[in-house]
Amino acid sequence: MHQSSKQAWRTFVYLLLAAAAVLGACADPAADQVKQKNVALIVRMKHGDYWRTVKWGAEMAAREFGVNVNFYAPDYEEDVKGQLAQVRQAFADGTAAVVIAPDSQQVLDEATSRAKEQRIPVLIIDSELTGPGVVSWIGTDHVDSGKRAGEKLIELVGTHGRIAVLGGGNTAQREKGLLEAISHYPGVTIVAREGASDQNQASELAARMIDSHSLDGIVALNAVAALGAAQAIESKGLAEKVKVVAIDSPPDVLAYIQEGVIQATIMQNPFSMGYLGVKHAVEAMNGLHVPSRIDTGTKIIDMDNMFWSENQKLLFPFVK
């Protein structure tokens, strides 16, 4: 049941993306006849629904504001060397602005240093990093996301319980917010905190934490952790007994919510990050003032509200 449901979500999303791409390609046939300026969009990974949605938002803005977006990303997240190589390639290809989700301070410093030499603007999306030469930051308040995840889990398990935190990668700010939220409830004990680099490892860690601590709930700080935790809970037949609150909303997480394995997720707005990144990059290129910080917001998605029309627009922003 789960595999068919999960595959249905994937198929639905990818068909929508394909249809939207066809419509977009036909939107402005005269655009190719005019030499357009390039905006480099440099993100942390070329695969995955999250970054695909960022890219789609950027491409929508590019068509609207008359620029070309060149997409750069390594194969996997946390590949600092790979992303550094993509930064260098972007400047070698020529660009009038950089919109970047840096994986490390080293990557950001490389981009801003090269941009300063060429007097072009740099805007950050998603990553909670900053530095001299950055025109604007556009993304999610990750501390607030962690707080909202913690508060939602308390709502589900009550003010007394044993919970675990499963993270990994770039989730320190989310964990900070989570711990702050949990600190207000002395009857809730965090009995385990683990980090995973991939879904299989996350599943193994979640299974071990469940066996060792008789958990009431898990906060999964990213999609990899959420899918691993859901896989472990499903295999043990503990759906709805061990509550799971996730952060991020790829199709597989939504399928697990529909099946009751994950109870809620804190949804970011990657489409807006891509769209606003390019929009404000164009404004900065034209010498206009742009906001120094833009919080694209979050929303809690669960089985009660995931099919509301306004939430469907957030989950599938490429559908008009």
Side-chain angles (χ1 to χ4, degrees), residues 152 155-156 257-258 262-265 299-308 311:
K152 183 63 178 179
E155 178 185 319
L156 292 166
I257 290 176
Q258 191 176 12
I262 293 175
Q263 278 61 54
T265 189
K299 189 157 190 178
I300 298 174
I301 298 295
D302 57 22
M303 192 57 196
D304 291 334
N305 68 15
M306 69 185 297
F307 293 108
W308 293 0
N311 290 342

Side-chain angles (χ1 to χ4, degrees), residues 39-44 70-74 86-87 89-91 93-94:
V39 174
L41 175 64
I42 307 170
V43 301
R44 293 197 296 276
N70 290 332
F71 182 74
Y72 302 90
Q86 297 294 326
V87 168
Q89 186 62 54
F91 281 93
D93 292 342

